Amino acid sequence: MVTTTARPRAWALLFARLVLGLIFFMAGVYKVFSLTPAGHVRKWFLPFQDTFLPVWSLWAAGLAIPFVELIAGALLILGLRVYHALLALGAVLVVVTFGHLLKEPLYPFHEHVIPRLALLLFLLVLPRQEDVFSLDYLLAQRSARADLKEARP
């Protein structure tokens, strides 16, 4: 049951989760199905082969990121395994930040990284149990009811 004070937080969590999920999901859809993961590596990661980073690491990160964005974005939209999806997307933001700083130390973060990071941090700091419009919440409620049934003599 959602209390009156928790209801605005539940809506805030839903909207933040949906917006962040859509941003990453649609980026993943584009990178996986239009650009292709190999195209993503060539366009965004191989330009870093003149740095200290080994080329194999550029391929590994560049191939993984589109799938992480696609899957974690979908999980956020559904509200399923939200915490793990947020951690994965946080790691993507760290990699992106590192890459931009490596090439351009004064990269304008307010255009790309900061809005996504703000939504991600907002979702991380609010209590998960208040995200009542998520599959995580519904599954937890279902599990709690099953536990109660088993505990009854």
Side-chain angles (χ1 to χ4, degrees):
M1 174 126 188
V2 182
T3 65
T4 307
T5 58
R7 175 93 40 205
R9 283 193 295 267
W11 284 107
L13 282 161
L14 174 67
F15 293 139
R17 189 168 43 74
L18 290 176
V19 168
L20 188 63
L22 284 168
I23 289 168
F24 279 106
F25 178 74
M26 294 309 292
V29 166
Y30 171 74
K31 292 172 187 175
V32 170
F33 300 110
S34 295
L35 183 61
T36 76
H40 180 252
V41 173
R42 286 195 234 10
K43 183 173 183 174
W44 299 108
F45 283 77
L46 289 186
F48 291 87
Q49 61 190 342
D50 63 343
T51 67
F52 66 90
L53 297 170
V55 174
W56 67 263
S57 70
L58 300 173
W59 275 97
L63 288 172
I65 283 176
F67 294 102
V68 172
E69 289 178 333
L70 179 73
I71 294 165
L75 290 172
L76 284 184
I77 292 166
L78 295 170
L80 185 62
R81 299 219 171 264
V82 170
Y83 179 74
H84 296 99
L86 290 171
L87 293 181
L89 293 173
V92 167
L93 288 176
V94 169
V95 169
V96 167
T97 300
F98 172 74
H100 283 295
L101 287 174
L102 191 57
K103 279 291 190 186
E104 187 181 344
L106 297 177
Y107 173 76
F109 289 100
H110 66 282
E111 297 171 2
H112 177 76
V113 175
I114 297 301
R116 289 164 177 82
L117 181 61
L119 285 171
L120 189 142
L121 295 175
F122 174 79
L123 289 166
L124 274 175
V125 299
L126 283 183
R128 295 289 339 122
Q129 66 270 18
E130 292 189 19
D131 192 1
V132 299
F133 303 119
S134 68
L135 285 177
D136 283 343
Y137 181 84
L138 293 174
L139 293 172
Q141 293 297 310
R142 187 174 168 188
S143 177
R145 282 192 302 270
D147 289 345
L148 279 175
K149 283 182 183 178
E150 286 180 18
R152 290 185 184 150

